[in-house]
């Protein structure tokens, strides 16, 4: 009964948040097909959990959980500071065959050549797979896996944003565990904090190194990845400590020329990670410290990173560090709360960048998540916007985030993202989106 009441509360909260943001819908996101897609997905509600689509519980609807021990799991090594790529890569001088996963734009821009040149200098064979697209699809991942099995690497290097890193994680874990299929891997998904022992092999055949070229996904330090299954129409969230990279190379030189819109979206994506991790009922002294530092860095540096770009290298480097700090906080609390559940569903349905979707929703989630107000207030005080009491502190935090969004040209809500076209189509999608988001959150409850 308690679970049913909580699910109802989550669903109603999701509906209200979407309605608050759903004043309009842009016509350029193929709105007419969205209804069909969501209807098809909604008809499969009964078997969502078996596909491993789970999001952690928000503070607004969480049951109290007791954990006998705690832990902080991150990659064994994290290199940072501008120019650290060459130093980090020297650790792999004994490797024989390296499989690089990236996307076509980064490949065409020559970003991957910075890595291959170092490999060539160490006389290490390498193969580059550059067919990853935004929101990686299962078919593409399996095509890449065929090349992996043919090449037989002893090291993977993922270069890019979240998509190449997510694709590389699945390729690597299936390469190391050939007895598994994607479907059996997805079925394993549950609250990974309840199973600290790794059942999947990790690093026995090939390690995974992530080289982020955006500053917000946090995938370079997380045991999670998202892959779209085109056969079912689902975006499947995989969760297993075997997905955690062996190393993250957070080299700020790789983000100095990042376009300002991408800098804004990725920075606000990291902000949403840090804020929701701080408010998570699974948060600890360790994760909250990471969240507080990340939020402070973003508030102080995102405006200059956005405005000046490579002319403000210290700001770009601070934002790059903040993205990984936020990723570590999220990785050790949950793969997201209500904001993440809604943003993933809205982003998938309307092809919105995840950073933009998260940014449009996060302040509304904070305002609605009254049960977590003390944690939001604590965060506000740590980043210098505290008020006379918790209520004032939460209001000040929200104002600081709204001011930041305005400064970097990001709308306050989905209304500003979509415009006024096809409003009725978006409203028609709200029940399905809310239902799916609530089921994503609920899957963690049932784990």
């Amino acid at each position: 009964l308690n679970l049913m009441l909580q699910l109802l509360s989550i669903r109603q909260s999701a509906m209200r948040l979407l309605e608050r943001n759903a004043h309009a819908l842009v016509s350029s996101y193929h709105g007419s097909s969205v209804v069909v897609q969501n209807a098809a997905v909604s008809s499969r509600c009964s078997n969502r959990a078996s596909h491993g689509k789970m999001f952690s519980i928000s503070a607004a609807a969480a049951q109290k959980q007791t954990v006998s021990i705690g832990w902080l799991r991150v990659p064994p090594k994290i290199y940072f500071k501008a120019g650290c790529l060459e130093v980090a890569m020297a650790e792999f001088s004994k490797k024989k065959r390296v499989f690089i996963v990236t996307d076509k734009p980064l490949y065409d821009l020559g970003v991957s050549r910075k890595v291959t040149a170092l490999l060539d200098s160490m006389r290490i064979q390498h193969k580059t797979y550059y067919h990853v697209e935004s929101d990686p699809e299962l078919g593409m991942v399996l095509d890449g896996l065929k090349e992996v099995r043919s090449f037989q690497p002893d090291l993977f290097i993922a270069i890019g944003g979240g998509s190449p890193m997510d694709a590389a994680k699945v390729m690597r874990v299936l390469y190391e565990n050939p007895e598994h299929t994607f479907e059996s891997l997805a079925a394993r998904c549950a609250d990974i904090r309840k199973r600290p022992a790794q059942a999947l092999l990790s690093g026995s055949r090939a390690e995974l190194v992530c080289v982020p070229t955006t500053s917000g996904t946090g995938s370079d330090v997380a045991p999670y990845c998202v892959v779209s299954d085109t056969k079912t129409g689902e975006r499947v969230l995989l969760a297993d400590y075997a997905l955690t990279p062996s190393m993250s190379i957070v080299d700020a030189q790789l983000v100095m020329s990042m376009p300002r819109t991408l800098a804004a979206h990725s920075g606000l994506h990291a902000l949403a990670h840090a804020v929701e991790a701080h408010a998570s009922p699974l948060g600890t002294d360790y994760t909250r410290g990471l969240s507080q530092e990340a939020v402070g860095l973003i508030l102080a540096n995102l405006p200059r990173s956005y405005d000046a770009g490579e002319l403000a290298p210290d700001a770009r480097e601070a934002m790059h560090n903040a993205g990984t700090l936020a990723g570590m906080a999220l990785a050790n609390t949950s793969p997201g709360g209500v904001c993440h559940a809604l943003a993933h569903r809205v982003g998938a349905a309307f092809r919105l960048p995840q950073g933009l979707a998260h940014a449009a929703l996060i302040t509304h989630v904070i305002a609605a998540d009254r049960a977590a107000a003390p944690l939001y207030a604590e965060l506000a005080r740590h980043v210098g916007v505290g008020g006379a009491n918790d209520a004032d502190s939460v209001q000040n935090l929200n104002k600081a985030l709204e001011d930041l969004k305005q400064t970097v040209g990001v709308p306050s809500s989905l209304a500003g993202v979509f415009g006024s076209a096809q409003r009725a189509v978006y409203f028609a999608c709200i029940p399905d989106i809310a239902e799916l988001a609530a089921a994503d959150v609920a899957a963690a409850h049932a784990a």
Side-chain angles (χ1 to χ4, degrees):
L1 177 60
N2 286 337
L3 179 58
M4 291 177 66
L5 290 173
Q6 288 168 2
L7 291 181
L8 178 61
S9 173
I10 294 170
R11 185 180 186 278
Q12 290 174 338
S13 296
M15 290 281 287
R16 286 194 297 270
L17 286 168
L18 286 165
E19 287 168 354
R20 186 181 301 173
N21 281 271
H23 301 302
L25 172 66
V26 69
S27 60
S28 62
Y29 286 109
H30 311 286
S32 60
S33 66
V34 171
V35 176
V36 176
Q37 174 185 343
N38 279 326
V41 171
S42 182
S43 68
R44 290 186 292 274
C45 287
S46 62
N47 64 1
R48 268 190 301 271
S50 67
H51 285 270
K53 291 163 288 300
M54 67 94 174
F55 286 83
S56 186
I57 311 153
S58 78
Q63 290 178 326
K64 291 184 179 179
Q65 299 189 19
T66 58
V67 181
S68 58
I69 60 171
W71 60 84
L72 188 78
R73 295 202 173 199
V74 297
K77 293 186 179 181
I78 300 173
Y79 280 86
F80 57 96
K81 289 289 185 181
C84 68
L85 177 65
E86 184 173 355
V87 176
M89 288 291 296
E91 288 206 17
F92 304 113
S93 60
K94 303 298 183 183
K95 296 296 184 181
K96 303 298 183 184
R97 303 171 71 82
V98 177
F99 193 84
I100 298 169
V101 181
T102 189
D103 59 39
K104 189 66 161 56
L106 289 175
Y107 180 81
D108 289 343
L109 288 170
V111 176
S112 61
R113 285 197 290 275
K114 297 178 181 179
V115 172
T116 58
L118 293 170
L119 294 173
D120 288 338
S121 70
M122 294 185 282
R123 298 182 179 180
I124 298 173
Q125 295 184 56
H126 54 83
K127 181 179 181 63
T128 301
Y129 182 85
Y130 54 80
H131 303 295
V132 179
E133 297 181 352
S134 179
D135 192 11
E137 296 181 350
L138 177 57
M140 176 276 299
V141 172
L142 296 180
D143 285 343
L145 181 61
K146 292 177 183 178
E147 296 195 24
V148 168
R149 288 172 171 163
S150 173
F151 186 68
Q152 293 288 302
D154 55 3
L155 178 67
F156 286 79
I157 299 180
I159 306 170
S163 294
M165 289 187 277
D166 284 1
K169 287 178 182 181
V170 181
M171 291 180 197
R172 196 275 296 252
V173 79
L174 289 176
Y175 172 61
E176 293 216 310
N177 298 270
E179 74 278 9
H180 278 278
T181 64
F182 178 80
E183 289 74 18
S184 66
L185 184 65
R188 285 177 39 81
C189 287
D191 184 348
I192 57 176
R193 295 177 65 91
K194 297 177 182 177
R195 47 180 173 87
Q198 289 180 239
L200 295 173
L201 295 177
S202 178
S204 61
R205 300 179 69 184
E207 296 178 277
L208 170 62
V209 174
C210 286
V211 185
T213 61
T214 62
S215 306
T217 71
S219 186
D220 57 307
V221 291
Y224 308 115
C225 64
V226 179
V227 175
S228 294
D229 188 340
T230 52
K231 291 182 179 178
T232 65
E234 289 285 0
R235 300 178 80 244
V236 182
L237 173 65
L238 304 180
D240 197 285
Y241 286 118
L243 297 171
T244 305
S246 305
M247 179 187 290
S248 175
I249 304 176
V250 190
D251 188 339
Q253 285 187 351
L254 300 177
V255 296
M256 290 300 168
S257 59
M258 182 168 52
R260 68 199 312 247
T261 298
L262 181 56
H265 290 176
S266 62
L268 292 171
H269 197 176
L271 182 71
H273 283 172
V275 170
E276 283 218 310
H278 195 278
S280 170
L282 300 177
T284 66
D285 293 343
Y286 296 86
T287 59
R288 283 190 288 272
L290 292 167
S291 293
Q292 291 160 10
E293 182 66 15
V295 173
L297 286 171
I298 293 167
L299 289 175
N301 291 282
L302 182 53
R304 284 198 305 124
S305 174
Y306 173 77
D307 285 332
E310 58 189 326
L311 297 179
D314 58 324
R316 283 284 165 114
E317 184 166 311
M319 288 302 304
H320 210 35
N321 291 335
T324 294
L325 290 170
M328 287 192 288
L330 189 72
N332 287 278
T333 53
S334 70
V338 169
C339 180
H340 282 72
L342 289 171
H344 275 276
R345 288 299 178 181
V346 171
F350 300 105
R351 303 182 184 181
L352 292 180
Q354 281 299 306
L356 180 58
H358 281 79
L361 288 162
I362 186 61
T363 50
H364 303 283
V365 170
I366 292 173
D369 196 4
R370 296 176 183 175
L375 290 170
Y376 292 126
E378 177 188 350
L379 176 59
R381 289 188 288 270
H382 273 279
V383 299
V385 295
N389 51 47
D390 281 0
D392 287 346
S393 296
V394 174
Q395 186 174 1
N396 291 349
L397 178 64
N398 250 359
K399 184 179 185 305
L401 302 191
E402 286 293 348
D403 289 347
L404 179 62
K405 288 195 286 185
Q406 183 176 6
T407 298
V408 298
V410 171
S412 174
S413 70
L414 291 177
V417 172
F418 288 135
S420 58
Q422 297 190 359
R423 176 179 179 179
V425 177
Y426 183 75
F427 270 104
C429 293
I430 288 177
D432 282 336
I433 292 174
E435 195 76 47
L436 291 167
D440 287 337
V441 177
H445 256 310

